[in-house]
Amino acid sequence: MSEETIELELDDSGVSVDLPQPSHPNDQVQGVPYRPVEFRDDDLPTALERSARWLREAQTWLGEPLDVIAVHLDYDDRNGQPYYDVKLLCNEEDLAGAPVALRKQSAEAAG
């Protein structure tokens, strides 16, 4: 049985350098194993809209549905912080671009 190695181009946090980044300065891809992608805003519909926009962009890039393990909603009532905190808990292999690399490798092997 042989194991093939797939090379992925990852940034320092372990996600693909080609992964679309959330566009708002309050949003981020966090650096933990299950990779919460965070969207923070004082207006919940706005945070949800940004999370949906990012999810569509990420799925287009990935070429398949992104595996979202859970959606977490929290709040931050500290003064000066965005109140709502929406997190999409995403599969780290998807965020690293593994399906993209597998398709590329299969295409190169077939061509």
Side-chain angles (χ1 to χ4, degrees), residues 46-103:
T46 300
L48 290 169
E49 288 166 358
R50 287 200 321 265
S51 69
R53 184 177 339 120
W54 175 83
L55 184 58
R56 283 186 203 96
E57 291 173 3
Q59 289 186 153
T60 298
W61 166 76
L62 192 61
E64 63 185 56
L66 189 69
D67 185 6
V68 177
I69 299 161
V71 178
H72 178 78
L73 175 62
D74 205 350
Y75 66 91
D76 187 345
D77 57 3
R78 293 178 294 165
N79 192 26
Q81 297 297 314
Y83 186 75
Y84 293 104
D85 187 2
V86 177
K87 292 182 183 178
L88 304 179
L89 306 178
C90 301
N91 179 299
E92 68 179 357
E93 290 178 353
D94 286 353
L95 296 183
V100 175
L102 285 171
R103 280 194 305 277

Side-chain angles (χ1 to χ4, degrees), residues 22-66:
S23 60
H24 194 277
N26 289 336
D27 306 337
Q28 63 179 318
V29 176
Q30 296 182 333
V32 295
Y34 55 85
R35 300 281 186 222
V37 181
E38 181 179 47
F39 302 86
R40 300 178 68 206
D41 204 287
D42 287 327
D43 181 63
L44 180 56
T46 300
L48 290 169
E49 288 166 358
R50 287 200 321 265
S51 69
R53 184 177 339 120
W54 175 83
L55 184 58
R56 283 186 203 96
E57 291 173 3
Q59 289 186 153
T60 298
W61 166 76
L62 192 61
E64 63 185 56
L66 189 69

